[in-house]
Amino acid sequence: HKTIEGNGYLYPQFYDRTCPKAQEIVKSIIAKAVSRDSRMAASLLRLHFHDCFVKGCDASILLDNAGSIISEKGSNPNRNSVRGIEVIDEIKSALEQACPQTVSCADVMALAARDSTVIAGGPSWVVLLGRRDARGASLSGSNQNIPAPNNTFQTIFTKFKLKGLNIVDLVALSGSHTIGFSRCTSFRQRLYNQTGNAKPDFTLDQSYAAQLRTRCPRSGGDQNLFSLDPVSPFKFDNSYFRNLLASKGLLNSDEVLVTKNQESLQLVTQYAQNNQLFFEQFAKSMVKMGNITPLTGSMGEIRKNCRKINS
Ligand code: HEM
Ligand SMILES: [Ca+2]
């Protein structure tokens, strides 16, 4: 058996000989974590996205401030928002017990994203493995590369294209918003001052908007939580796309998928009608996102503790 080293490719059997229990360990801890806190599936899925869009899927998001490292945890998309890092820590310490310094933190997040999707009722896929962990973080990359909820369609699409993802990936992966929550502060602008002239976003269903205003006032309540998919907030299904067609997308970045681009509207319509089509594309796009510039071979390292680089 020959190992492939440093050629940039990931493959599913990477830990088959060195840590055969790795996938089981990850799965069982995710199951426990989600039974304690059902939102955790969403939070772990998002963590992988916020890692991969910054320097690739290299666990840069997990590093704490230390020495010359400025943590990505303080970026606009992550601050007061990113969750699930303690679960990654718990998985990592179990893996260090079973097979010391073998399984990367970046691979743990890729497996966690898949297992979380499955546990929430979504599709499964084979996770490609062999990513290694970065020895640095990028706060500026985290601020610049991760799309913001008030970005235009064009800006969001450009940020995906810069990561090698296309419009099909953008729409399918946005379907992640079928689970999980958003803070009031991430969409308040739509309720009161969408265009800067003190007018709400009139493309948002007006009774839904009125309902949102009750717990997301003009000022205060910034951290109040709202389900991204009020129909089935913990179930991974295609109701997110049906909400969009009913003008009930929570974030502006959700709504632009149906109001700003014909191709993306067409994809939303297809996924709203065909859950299986959505599931199949979501799985493909997750594999593609998981392949964003991984460190392989002798690049980077296998961290002992996901929060800090090995000394
Ligand atoms: C297309 C551009 C995207 C934008 C602008 C965006 C923006 C956001 C925002 C603002 C929130 C709420 C954060 C908060 O208020 O604390 C959120 C939550 C979430 N996002 Fe996205 N997102 C995008 C794409 C994605 C993708 C590609 C994924 C996964 C592959 C994803 C997964 C999630 C999940 C699961 C949540 C809920 C997290 C939780 O409840 O802890 N999003 N997103
Ligand atoms: Ca990263």
Side-chain angles (χ1 to χ4, degrees):
H1 183 97
K2 267 193 170 172
T3 52
I4 309 160
E5 277 221 325
N7 64 359
Y9 287 99
L10 306 176
Y11 56 97
Q13 303 83 5
F14 191 83
Y15 298 111
D16 278 8
R17 284 178 315 130
T18 55
C19 196
K21 292 217 160 69
Q23 301 216 23
E24 268 172 65
I25 292 171
V26 175
K27 190 170 144 185
S28 71
I29 296 176
I30 301 282
K32 265 199 301 168
V34 175
S35 71
R36 279 197 303 262
D37 168 7
S38 39
R39 183 183 174 193
M40 194 48 74
S43 304
L44 292 168
L45 174 56
R46 186 172 186 232
L47 205 53
H48 183 45
F49 163 50
H50 282 203
D51 180 34
C52 292
F53 266 57
V54 184
K55 301 196 305 127
C57 312
D58 62 356
S60 59
I61 193 173
L62 300 176
L63 292 172
D64 285 333
N65 287 320
S68 64
I69 291 168
I70 308 173
S71 178
E72 293 172 15
K73 295 170 189 176
S75 71
N76 295 322
N78 292 339
R79 190 169 6 97
N80 297 324
S81 178
V82 98
R83 300 172 81 246
I85 291 176
E86 326 72 50
V87 177
I88 302 299
D89 288 339
E90 192 185 335
I91 294 168
K92 178 62 174 176
S93 69
L95 288 170
E96 287 302 294
Q97 290 281 317
C99 1
Q101 266 202 80
T102 303
V103 183
S104 69
C105 301
D107 280 345
V108 170
M109 282 191 287
L111 290 167
R114 190 268 316 268
D115 292 346
S116 294
T117 302
V118 171
I119 233 167
S124 191
W125 59 91
V126 175
V127 179
L128 305 183
L129 299 165
R131 300 169 189 79
R132 290 167 64 86
D133 300 326
R135 292 189 43 89
S138 177
L139 178 65
S140 60
S142 186
N143 277 318
Q144 287 160 25
N145 307 346
I146 298 170
N150 63 347
N151 282 161
T152 63
F153 176 86
Q154 218 25 261
T155 299
I156 294 168
F157 188 24
T158 300
K159 288 177 177 180
F160 271 69
K161 282 190 282 199
L162 285 169
K163 298 295 157 192
L165 301 177
N166 59 31
I167 195 161
V168 175
D169 301 313
L170 166 61
V171 176
L173 292 175
S174 292
S176 296
H177 293 173
T178 178
I179 53 173
F181 293 81
S182 168
R183 293 160 304 148
C184 157
T185 174
S186 300
F187 61 87
R188 172 184 282 129
Q189 170 186 315
R190 305 189 69 198
L191 305 180
Y192 304 103
N193 194 17
Q194 175 71 348
T195 50
N197 61 355
K199 296 260 162 54
D201 182 349
F202 291 113
T203 61
L204 181 61
D205 177 89
Q206 288 308 294
S207 77
Y208 181 45
Q211 206 182 307
L212 294 171
R213 280 187 205 101
T214 65
R215 281 198 311 116
C216 187
R218 267 175 210 281
S219 71
D222 289 17
Q223 312 297 321
N224 289 353
L225 292 176
F226 298 78
S227 29
L228 287 157
D229 169 12
V231 177
S232 51
F234 298 104
K235 177 120 186 83
F236 195 105
D237 58 14
N238 65 344
S239 76
Y240 165 80
F241 296 106
R242 289 195 297 272
N243 299 341
L244 293 187
L245 294 175
S247 307
K248 290 177 180 173
L250 184 62
L251 306 177
N252 197 63
S253 52
D254 296 322
E255 187 190 277
V256 295
L257 299 177
V258 288
T259 54
K260 301 295 177 194
N261 182 281
Q262 269 310 311
E263 210 180 333
S264 109
L265 169 60
Q266 216 168 62
L267 288 160
V268 168
T269 309
Q270 284 172 3
Y271 298 148
Q273 289 165 350
N274 187 340
N275 193 62
Q276 194 189 328
L277 184 69
F278 165 48
F279 276 20
E280 282 166 9
Q281 187 56 54
F282 185 81
K284 282 186 198 160
S285 295
M286 282 298 292
V287 172
K288 213 168 148 185
M289 186 178 86
N291 264 319
I292 300 174
T293 58
L295 300 173
T296 59
S298 58
M299 298 156 85
E301 63 182 16
I302 305 297
R303 276 180 220 149
K304 292 185 206 146
N305 173 341
C306 292
R307 293 175 182 264
K308 52 187 194 196
I309 61 171
N310 299 338
S311 42

